[in-house]
Structures are given as C-alpha cells and as structure tokens.
Amino acid sequence: MKLMAESPIKDYPLLARGKVRDIYDLGDKLLLLATDRVSAFDVVLDGLIPDKGGILTSISAFWFRKLEDLVPNHMLSTDSTEYPEPFSNYAEDLAKRSMLVKKLEMLPCECIVRGYLEGSALKSYQKDGTVNGVKLPAGLVRGDKLPEPLFTPSTKAEVGGHDINISVKELADIIGTDMAKQLEETSLKLFAAATEHAEANGLILADTKFEFGLDDGVLTLGDEAFTPDSSRFWDKELWKPGKEQASFDKQFLREWLSSLDWDKTPPGPTLPQEIIDKTAARYREAWLRLTGSPWEA
C-alpha cells in the first residue's frame, strides 16, 4: 500500500478535508478516505505513517461488523470496486483505506467513555479530584482503573478548534435529556463489549470516543470505532498504575512531541524516520492484537 498524503481523486469535488480523512458527498451517502496523515494536539504533523489509513479504516470496519447487533452504524461498503463512478475508477488507490457510509444527521458532541485515569481526565482529577464534574475517590494515580466506566462527553469543535469537556447535564441542555441518556447508555454498552474483546486479546481499553448521528431518527454510530486514533489500548500484562503505559495508540507520539520545544500550534514539527517507523509499528500491532491476523497491506 503506497503512502497517501491526500486524495488522488481530481474529477469529483471534495466536501471536506479533516486531519486524517478526505470526505466526498454522494447525495445520501459519503465516501470517507483515510490518508496516512497523522495529527496530535489537533495539529496535522509533517510526516506520513505507512499503512495508517488502511489500518484505521479496517479496524473501524471490524468493529462495525462486530457490534452491529448493539447499535446500527453508518457503514455500507468497503469494496472500492463496487463504488459508483468516478470512485470505482480509483479502486486500487481506495482499497482498504476507504468506506462508503450513510449520511447521518450528526449530533454536536463526542461521546467519550473512560475506564482508566489518563489524558485530560488525569489532568482534571489532579486539579480538583473530578472528571467532567464527577467526583472520584481520592488517591488515584495515573493509569488506575476507575471504579466504573465513566461517560464524559465533549463538544465537537470545528476543524482547527479544540473540544471542550462538558457534564452530562450540560450535554442534556444541548441535545435534550432523552437523547443524552440514550447516548450515555449506548456508549457504555459499546465500551463494555469492546472491553471484553480487548481483554480476551491481552489488551486494556483505557478510553475511547464515539460520534453518533440520526438515520431517519434512529441513533446510529458514525465516524470511526475503537481505532488507535480514537482509543487508548494498553498491554494488559505490562499495565502498572502510576506511570505511562505500554500503548498501541498515538500516546507514544504525543509523549515524543511533548518532549520538544513546541507550543502545540501549527506548523507541527517534522517527524524523524525513527518516530514514523515506531508509530507505524504500533498501528500494525494494534491490528494484530485486535483481530488476531497480521496486517497485509
């Protein structure tokens, strides 16, 4: 699979370009194309990660199929040879790294579930003992398992902006009490199912985020599912609270970036080959651990 910085499709208008994905509007459908771009701290970095776009798309497809009995999802097809023209003309370029999906009425929030204390939750807890307004027990340290999985929603920022953590009550004020409750229950249900699968494969699912939309009024899982870009996966055997965990996500890249003299605003630093190779290895290992099969580009 050759590296891809941006879509090769020039004979169809681009709807949007996100940090990683290029998106096309097909009327009642969207085509999502995952490039090999990588972002951290909401900044797209100077460097491409081999196989990243293919692995992200394939992991999402794996989870969409596995969890479809719990909640509907937006995936229609990942077979690029069956896409409508002109996209089928680019079947080889789009193979593995693209997905044809239903167009949903997306809800203006991200649904985050945390099973362990890390990331922004850790910073909030260290400040005042709370996470998204929820009081947690005293004495927890980095990487500790929470008493129970915690639903911690956030606003959905525009491209280039930053999401803002909010309480469940604040979420209800935005989308209504019934919908907020449905999002919380569905997110926790998905997290529990993925946790069971991950632990059976030697992984800890520390936290994850979802995006949902409505398909003719039916709550539907969109965007991506349990990928290394949307989730923290840790090695179960090496887990030890109080320190950075052995991870299969972008935390390794974030830690390296945090060691630099960089203010986390664009432009991002150029990634050295060693960091690119190590990051790519983590994506491939995530695929292997989750699916049981080596990644084949």
Side-chain angles (χ1 to χ4, degrees):
M1 179 178 283
K2 62 184 180 181
L3 288 169
M4 182 180 290
E6 61 180 46
S7 171
I9 300 167
K10 306 303 180 186
D11 49 350
Y12 197 94
L14 186 69
L15 173 65
R17 174 159 287 150
K19 299 183 186 75
V20 173
R21 291 185 302 199
D22 291 352
I23 304 173
Y24 294 90
D25 188 342
L26 283 69
D28 61 342
K29 304 177 184 67
L30 296 174
L31 184 78
L32 308 181
L33 174 59
T35 69
D36 297 315
R37 300 191 296 265
V38 64
S39 70
F41 305 110
D42 293 318
V43 176
V44 177
L45 303 172
D46 182 8
L48 300 176
I49 308 300
D51 298 328
K52 179 175 180 286
I55 291 172
L56 289 180
T57 300
S58 298
I59 287 179
S60 281
F62 168 81
W63 285 111
F64 285 149
R65 296 184 184 104
K66 187 173 183 64
L67 302 173
E68 61 185 356
D69 290 342
L70 296 181
V71 63
N73 63 73
H74 69 167
M75 184 173 69
L76 294 172
S77 176
T78 57
D79 186 347
S80 56
T81 65
E82 295 181 354
Y83 295 166
E85 292 185 353
F87 304 102
S88 58
N89 299 331
Y90 297 87
E92 184 175 350
D93 290 321
L94 302 187
K96 290 195 173 183
R97 63 167 72 247
S98 63
M99 184 180 294
L100 192 65
V101 304
K102 297 177 184 177
K103 185 186 289 186
L104 306 178
E105 179 188 345
M106 298 303 294
L107 297 171
C109 59
E110 289 196 341
C111 296
I112 301 165
V113 181
R114 304 179 188 276
Y116 291 75
L117 192 60
E118 184 55 277
S120 63
L122 174 63
K123 293 178 182 178
S124 176
Y125 175 79
Q126 291 173 333
K127 181 179 178 181
D128 60 13
T130 69
V131 176
N132 287 59
V134 177
K135 188 70 174 178
L136 293 179
L140 297 179
V141 298
R142 181 181 187 180
D144 260 335
K145 186 175 184 178
L146 300 177
E148 59 184 8
L150 196 60
F151 178 66
T152 61
S154 75
T155 60
K156 178 62 179 171
E158 298 295 327
V159 174
H162 296 276
D163 300 336
I164 300 173
N165 293 333
I166 57 177
S167 67
V168 176
K169 182 181 182 303
E170 289 172 315
L171 177 64
D173 291 339
I174 297 171
I175 64 172
T177 301
D178 290 345
M179 182 56 69
K181 182 178 180 181
Q182 190 177 0
L183 286 178
E184 180 174 11
E185 291 176 348
T186 303
S187 297
L188 290 171
K189 183 168 58 175
L190 290 169
F191 187 82
T195 293
E196 182 179 0
H197 176 83
E199 291 190 351
N201 288 276
L203 294 174
I204 287 173
L205 175 58
D207 53 46
T208 194
K209 65 179 179 180
F210 309 108
E211 291 189 38
F212 291 93
L214 300 178
D215 179 22
D216 289 332
V218 177
L219 188 66
T220 302
L221 179 61
D223 195 52
E224 59 186 326
F226 299 110
T227 72
D229 275 16
S230 66
S231 314
R232 285 188 177 90
F233 289 104
W234 296 338
D235 191 308
K236 188 177 178 180
E237 289 188 359
L238 301 179
W239 172 63
K240 186 177 181 180
K243 65 180 185 68
E244 178 188 353
Q245 307 300 319
S247 66
F248 299 92
D249 52 48
K250 292 195 298 183
Q251 188 60 31
F252 160 79
L253 180 58
R254 295 188 193 98
E255 295 289 342
W256 177 78
L257 290 166
S258 295
S259 72
L260 305 179
D261 183 18
W262 174 51
D263 62 3
K264 299 181 177 61
T265 61
T270 299
L271 301 180
Q273 191 61 46
E274 178 186 8
I275 298 300
I276 288 173
D277 292 343
K278 287 183 177 180
T279 303
R282 278 163 170 76
Y283 279 94
R284 296 186 189 110
E285 182 70 11
W287 169 262
L288 174 63
R289 297 288 287 268
L290 288 171
T291 68
S293 300
W295 173 252
E296 296 182 4

